[in-house]
Every structure is written in structure tokens, then in C-alpha cells.
Amino acid sequence: MTATSSTPLLDTVREPADIRGFEPDQLKQLAEELRRETIDAVSITGGHLGAGLGVVELTVALHHVFDTPADRVIWDVGHQAYPHKILTGRRNRIRTLRQGGGLSGFTRRSESDYDPFGAAHSSTSISAGLGMAVARDLSGRDNKVVCVIGDGSMSAGMAYEAMNNAGALKSRLIVILNDNDMSIAPPVGAMSAYLSRLISSPSYRSLRQMGKQIVEHLPRQMQEAARRAEEYARGMVTGGTMFEELGFYYVGPIDGHNLDHLLPVLRNARDDEHQRPILIHVVTQKGKGYPPAEAADDKYHGVAKFDVATGAQTKAKANAPQYTRVFADALIREAAEDPKIVAVTAAMPSGTGLDLFGQRFPGRCFDVGIAEQHGVTFAAGLATEGYKPFVAIYSTFLQRAYDQVVHDVAIQGLPVRFAIDRAGLVGADGATHAGSFDITYLATLPGFVVMAAADEAELMHMVATAASIGDRPSAFRYPRGEGVGIDLPERGAVLPIGKGRVLREGTAIAILSLGTRLSESLKAAEELATRGLSATVADARFAKPLDEDLIRRLARDHEVLITIEEGSIGGFGSHVLHFLSRDGLLDQGLKVRTMMLPDVFIDHDAPMKQYDAARLNAAHIVETAIAALGRKVQAVRA
């Protein structure tokens, strides 16, 4: 007997064109099946679940109403785009999400024509969409451009910069504000839906236009009064006055899970012939349709593999504490002794561990929203008044505030402390979240202290060290995931600035590690010893200032010096090379090899496989050492 499919209608869909002729009841059935398929797929792969479940009906409606991919649909951030991927020819690969060689967890241009813009950081969709709309106008085309942006992403200044520009240019652009946190609008119902359909309809727009033409014959003061009266009257029944001031025609709020409400409004927006941008305010619920996700505080934003029936996540048992938790505990310990310590995060309290700090010190923890630029300068202001701000932020998110790091912190020499999470390669999130560049972009700044923790105990020491630095900016970086499992002190110790440590003494080869490649360096030294080669292993601790005495000693006493780091070219190895050159230490035949991330963006995969691809594991260190010596070395037999 053949098993009956749980997704019979979805099984008939290969691309969005297949659903354009569906009736409303079929679209509702498709939405339910799409939700079911999304839950099942993410239960196998892990990933972002809640956001995708919240936009299932919106996804179906968009691909039914708009002629994608000719019409562009841009998903801000992209972690809510799993249902979109299923409908756009990638269902047969959806269970490869975030796996090596599989689908990206975000939108990606190289993956599909239905992904017109790659995104993994927030608040870029309106800017990109406006660029596409202007390009369309310049080319004389007539396709539609739709940007879907969440209410959280609307906390970033870039979104408002783009809206301001769009309002001034008056290009035909549709922005859908996906309000899934109820932070902007109250619950919506039939009356709101009716008003939204009315206000977005051609008949209302024609009446409004006729009214404008009549008002044009009135004195200027009366024209302005009439314009404001109409605008605020619509604002009173639908909200959106702020968006109107930015030049958008506002429609909403409407129920984003009710296709009877969504479809006519989207059709009206699609068929609008006026040269202006439109904002449609849609209210949705994260995790919609899956009770465990609906009940969760974070709405199952990011999950491991889980059991669909119970929602229980199957996380591997940790052998060591997470670096993020070690940082949070260490900062709480320091803050308990120093009331001047405050913490700043940019909409990532749980991701950075500052939710724990906030529970202990609620008046000293500040979430600035998705506003990294503001967050850095806000911290600089705190520092001018004698406070000790720790800005906890992912490496790739800090890139968005580099101008503020340079001008508002570094040039003024303000003691802002940057706790840089997700340093190095990050596994399933891939290149968009990999902390590849922070050593390079921070160590190039005069006066900055730049540290990298080799293990969780070192991270505790670096939190204490940063707290003690009161005359200049500092940063310490640490990776995603678990530590190495060593014993932790009660409290971190303040490290001597610019001084490293030697963990293993040898004679022929010196391995100078910065960060968590130290454990691989020690493994490499063991392997080299079996081959008859003696290796020194040192932990630099500081990319800036360099431990010049340690580097001189390693250069003088060894034939080969290898530096290794989890960062891009231009970082620690480059600083070491420049010092060796200036100090004349390359003049006597020292063989130097720098090991760093390669000059490519490394795709999502298991972290160990990523570091294999980057050639930064123990075997690659051994290979580099032997090649530098220029001779074959046989393994020592037991």
C-alpha cells in the first residue's frame, strides 16, 4: 500500500509560476503544507525556524501575486527565507541547509535567480531594493521590487536612510514591514483589513488624487492644511504617519497570516501606477503554527536538530563551557567589584551573553538595537565620563561600525573595551558571520590593544586585563562554541600588556600562535617530535602591542618561525613580519612562514572541515614546518 503524502499540493509545485493560478483555498492549503515542510526540514538540519514560520503565508502570497523572479523580492537578513527556498525550486535540497556543500542559511545570489540580493546582516534590503528600482527605471523596465524587512531590522539607521532617499526619489518600490514582535502595532482585525484594502485600492487612490487636484487651486496655506489633515486622518485609523513623512504611502496594519487580507492589498500595491514608494505594514507571529516555537521566549530563532513531536532539541552534551558563557561570567565577576563597568550590545543580548549580565546588573546593561554605529559612539561617550564600557559584539557586526571605532574611539584614545565574539570560522553560518578581519582592521589602528584568547581561562584573564586598561581602547577576541575544557580560575588575572607565554620549549622550529589555534600548534609539536624535530610553542596573546622580546628570542634560537592565526592577511603575521624586517632579524637566514585564513570566503560547513579547507589544523602546521626546513623527515618508529 502506497503511503499518502502529507504535502500533496506542495508536491505539485516546482517553481512559483505553478501557484499563480491557485484559488484562495488552495493557497491556504499550500501554506499549511509549506509550514509542515519547513518544520520537518529544520528538525533535521537545525537553523533559523521561528522567523520562517512567521512568514509562510506572506511567502505564498508574494509568489502568487508577483511575477518572480522578474519581480524582485528581497528578504532582509534572509534567515526567514527557508519557505521561500522551498517554493523556488530548492525543495529537493532543503535538508542540506547549512551543511557542507548544501544550501545557505541565508539568501544567496549564486544559489538561485529568485535570490536577487544576498543578505545575512540586517537592514540592507531597502537600500538594495531602491538601487534595483532605480536601475529598472533607468533601463525602461516595468518589473516590481519588493523588500521584506522586520521590525527589529527597522531599528537600524540604514533602513531610515534608505527610506528617506526612496521618498525623495519617488521610485516605485514596495516595502513590507514584517512586524513580528508587536512592537509597533496592536493586534489587527477585520476593520483594519478593510481599511487597508480601501486605502490601497485604485478607487480610493483616484478619489484622493482628485481631491489633491481640487486642493491645488486653493491658497498655499489651505493646501498644506488639507494635506496634513488627510495624512493624519489616515494615520489615526491605520498608523504610519512617520512613514508618510518619509515619503511612503502607508497601508496597514494587516494580519500577515490571513491570506484573505494579504492578497488584495498586495495586488493593489502591485498594480499601483503612481511614481512613489509604498509601505505595507504586516503583523505576524514568530513560530506561527508550531506550538513549541510559539511558546518559546525567542520563538525558536535559532535551533539545533529537534524532535518535531515534542520540540526537544538534540544538542550534543558539552564537554566544556561555551566561550560566550565564560565571557559573561567573567564580566559579571569584574562588574561585581567595579561599579563603573557597563555593558553594551546591539540587539544581541543572548547571543553575546549579556542577557546574564543584564539580569545581574539591569541598570548597567544597554541594548541599543541593531545600531552598531550608535552603540560604539554611545560607549565612547560613557568612557569620556569615567565609565568602563564593554561593547560585546560579533566580529562581523563590528565591521558595520568601523568608522566610529576609528574616529570616535581610537583617535580620541578612549578606553572602550570590545569583546569580539564569533572570531574565526563559525561553521553553519558561513562566510557572512565568520570573524575573519577584526585582527587586521583593529591592529592597524594606533594605540589599540588587541588580544586573542587561546582558551577559556585566557579569556577570563583578558576580560580582567581590558577592565584594567584605562588610557586607550582595547579588544579581545574569542570563537564560537566550546572551550578546550581546562580548569578555570575564580577570577581572571591582569596580564602584562604586550607579553606572550611559552608553553613548550624546543630547538629547531618555533610556532607562535595567536588565539585558539594554540591547541592545534601543541598537537603539531607532538607530531613533529615523532619525526625527530624539536618545536617551541608560544602563545602571543597580543597582536598589538607585539611581544618583541619573545619574537627576537624565537627568531634567534630557531631555524624556522611559523605564525598562525584565525584571521585574514594583514593581521598578526603581517605585524610580526614587519617587526622582523625592521629589527634586521631576517638578515641571517631565518625561515618565516605565516599561516592565516586564505584569500577566499570559506563556505558553511562543520568547523573542523572549514579549518581543513583553510589549512590551519595540526597536520598543516607539520607540513609547513617540514617544507620550510627543505628536507624529508622520517617518522620515528616506536
Side-chain angles (χ1 to χ4, degrees):
M1 184 177 177
T2 303
T4 303
S5 171
S6 62
T7 55
L9 192 57
L10 181 60
D11 293 344
T12 69
V13 177
R14 296 292 177 268
E15 59 184 9
D18 296 333
I19 73 171
R20 304 263 155 79
F22 279 11
E23 297 297 325
D25 285 346
Q26 290 178 293
L27 293 173
K28 292 171 187 176
Q29 178 185 337
L30 179 66
E32 287 306 309
E33 294 181 13
L34 181 58
R35 177 171 281 109
R36 197 176 304 133
E37 179 75 352
T38 301
I39 294 168
D40 186 72
V42 180
S43 75
I44 294 170
T45 65
H48 296 97
L49 180 63
L53 296 182
V55 297
V56 166
E57 286 82 8
L58 179 60
T59 303
V60 168
L62 285 170
H63 284 298
H64 174 75
V65 170
F66 292 93
D67 183 23
T68 56
D71 289 340
R72 316 296 195 219
V73 175
I74 305 159
W75 298 92
D76 203 275
V77 184
H79 59 228
Q80 75 277 49
Y82 298 177
H84 158 79
K85 293 194 177 200
I86 293 170
L87 286 185
T88 53
R90 287 169 277 183
R91 185 187 181 191
N92 62 339
R93 299 182 63 208
I94 198 65
R95 287 163 182 79
T96 69
L97 269 169
R98 296 158 50 89
Q99 315 297 307
L103 295 177
S104 169
F106 306 97
T107 54
R108 174 182 280 186
R109 282 173 52 80
S110 61
E111 196 176 281
S112 172
D113 289 340
Y114 291 93
D115 293 357
F117 196 75
H121 284 190
S122 79
S123 316
T124 61
S125 59
I126 305 176
S127 297
L130 180 59
M132 294 177 193
V134 169
R136 172 204 62 207
D137 297 343
L138 292 172
S139 302
R141 291 182 282 111
D142 193 37
N143 61 291
K144 311 302 185 291
V145 180
V146 183
C147 310
V148 185
I149 183 169
D151 57 315
S153 295
M154 287 292 283
S155 69
M158 185 175 178
Y160 293 97
E161 292 171 12
M163 292 186 72
N164 185 55
N165 192 199
L169 290 176
K170 292 184 170 56
S171 283
R172 286 181 295 114
L173 176 72
I174 300 169
V175 173
I176 296 177
L177 171 57
N178 176 32
D179 181 2
N180 59 23
D181 199 31
M182 305 303 288
S183 60
I184 298 176
V188 296
M191 180 58 72
S192 175
Y194 170 73
L195 291 170
S196 296
R197 287 198 301 272
L198 174 65
I199 288 171
S200 65
S201 67
S203 57
Y204 176 86
R205 294 196 304 267
S206 298
L207 183 62
R208 188 181 189 228
Q209 190 63 30
M210 183 171 62
K212 284 184 176 181
Q213 292 172 358
I214 294 171
V215 168
E216 285 176 358
H217 297 287
L218 299 175
R220 179 170 295 181
Q221 285 185 328
M222 293 184 67
Q223 289 182 33
E224 181 62 18
R227 183 189 69 81
R228 290 188 176 276
E230 192 269 349
E231 176 184 309
Y232 284 102
R234 290 197 305 115
M236 287 179 65
V237 295
T238 66
T241 300
M242 176 183 67
F243 302 115
E244 293 275 356
E245 291 292 334
L246 288 169
F248 276 71
Y249 186 85
Y250 175 89
V251 178
I254 60 174
D255 184 349
H257 300 298
N258 190 326
L259 285 165
D260 293 331
H261 295 179
L262 275 175
L263 293 171
V265 172
L266 291 179
R267 291 191 189 104
N268 287 340
R270 177 196 64 192
D271 298 336
D272 181 43
E273 296 181 354
H274 293 86
Q275 200 71 14
R276 59 167 178 205
I278 298 173
L279 185 136
I280 302 172
H281 184 174
V282 173
V283 177
T284 63
Q285 179 185 4
K286 278 186 178 180
K288 176 70 174 178
Y290 185 50
E294 291 182 354
D297 289 340
D298 64 356
K299 306 301 182 188
Y300 272 44
H301 175 73
V303 297
K305 299 176 184 179
F306 63 94
D307 179 79
V308 173
T310 65
Q313 298 185 46
T314 55
K315 294 182 179 179
K317 186 176 181 180
N319 295 315
Q322 299 279 324
Y323 278 102
T324 299
R325 179 60 186 260
V326 172
F327 158 70
D329 289 343
L331 186 61
I332 290 169
R333 182 70 182 80
E334 295 299 321
E337 302 295 329
D338 188 344
K340 291 291 187 180
I341 288 177
V342 295
V344 179
T345 180
M348 293 295 291
S350 59
T352 60
L354 289 191
D355 55 339
L356 302 173
F357 185 94
Q359 291 169 17
R360 179 71 182 275
F361 305 106
R364 293 157 62 184
C365 188
F366 304 94
D367 184 351
V368 300
I370 302 177
E372 295 86 357
Q373 294 168 298
H374 159 64
V376 169
T377 305
F378 170 67
L382 284 163
T384 65
E385 297 295 326
Y387 280 83
K388 298 181 178 181
F390 280 75
V391 180
I393 196 165
Y394 290 5
S395 173
T396 53
F397 294 176
L398 186 57
Q399 291 165 186
R400 307 183 77 168
Y402 189 60
D403 180 70
Q404 285 68 30
V405 172
V406 176
H407 285 267
D408 298 339
V409 176
I411 289 178
Q412 300 189 86
L414 292 171
V416 176
R417 294 110 178 132
F418 294 93
I420 303 176
D421 203 333
R422 271 50 171 188
L425 302 177
V426 293
D429 281 338
T432 58
H433 285 61
S436 306
F437 310 114
D438 56 270
I439 301 173
T440 300
Y441 69 65
L442 291 178
T444 194
L445 299 176
F448 236 98
V449 175
V450 180
M451 300 172 272
D455 54 50
E456 55 268 48
E458 285 291 297
L459 175 55
M460 293 185 67
H461 299 326
M462 289 176 183
V463 172
T465 303
S468 74
I469 298 172
D471 60 347
R472 51 190 151 163
S474 59
F476 52 94
R477 72 191 313 254
Y478 47 98
R480 180 181 190 173
E482 299 173 7
V484 299
I486 66 172
D487 293 335
L488 297 178
E490 180 66 23
R491 184 181 179 186
V494 176
L495 302 173
I497 303 299
K499 292 298 178 183
R501 57 178 178 148
V502 176
L503 286 86
R504 178 185 177 120
E505 294 282 4
T507 56
I509 300 158
I511 305 171
L512 180 58
S513 172
L514 179 76
T516 54
R517 288 296 93 187
L518 181 64
S519 59
E520 293 296 309
S521 298
L522 290 167
K523 290 178 188 177
E526 291 287 346
E527 173 63 21
L528 287 167
T530 69
R531 297 169 180 263
L533 292 172
S534 176
T536 294
V537 178
D539 175 16
R541 281 178 165 160
F542 294 83
K544 190 171 189 176
L546 289 174
D547 188 340
E548 296 180 352
D549 290 338
L550 175 60
I551 295 170
R552 286 191 186 98
R553 177 191 151 197
L554 297 177
R556 183 180 63 245
D557 297 342
H558 300 81
E559 186 178 347
V560 173
L561 172 60
I562 298 171
T563 67
I564 185 166
E565 63 192 294
E566 297 158 320
S568 67
I569 191 169
F572 174 64
S574 296
H575 283 261
V576 172
L577 274 173
H578 280 290
F579 169 70
L580 292 169
S581 175
R582 291 195 310 271
D583 216 50
L585 295 169
L586 298 175
D587 300 348
Q588 303 302 317
L590 175 68
K591 297 174 181 177
V592 181
R593 299 293 184 269
T594 56
M595 299 182 69
M596 71 216 54
L597 293 177
D599 192 28
V600 296
F601 290 108
I602 295 178
D603 216 347
H604 52 274
D605 207 335
M608 180 58 75
K609 291 182 179 179
Q610 288 183 317
Y611 281 111
D612 267 335
R615 297 185 58 78
L616 289 179
N617 285 328
H620 308 112
I621 302 172
V622 171
E623 182 182 320
T624 299
I626 292 174
L629 288 170
R631 62 179 187 268
K632 292 184 179 180
V633 181
Q634 297 297 322
V636 176
R637 293 183 180 275

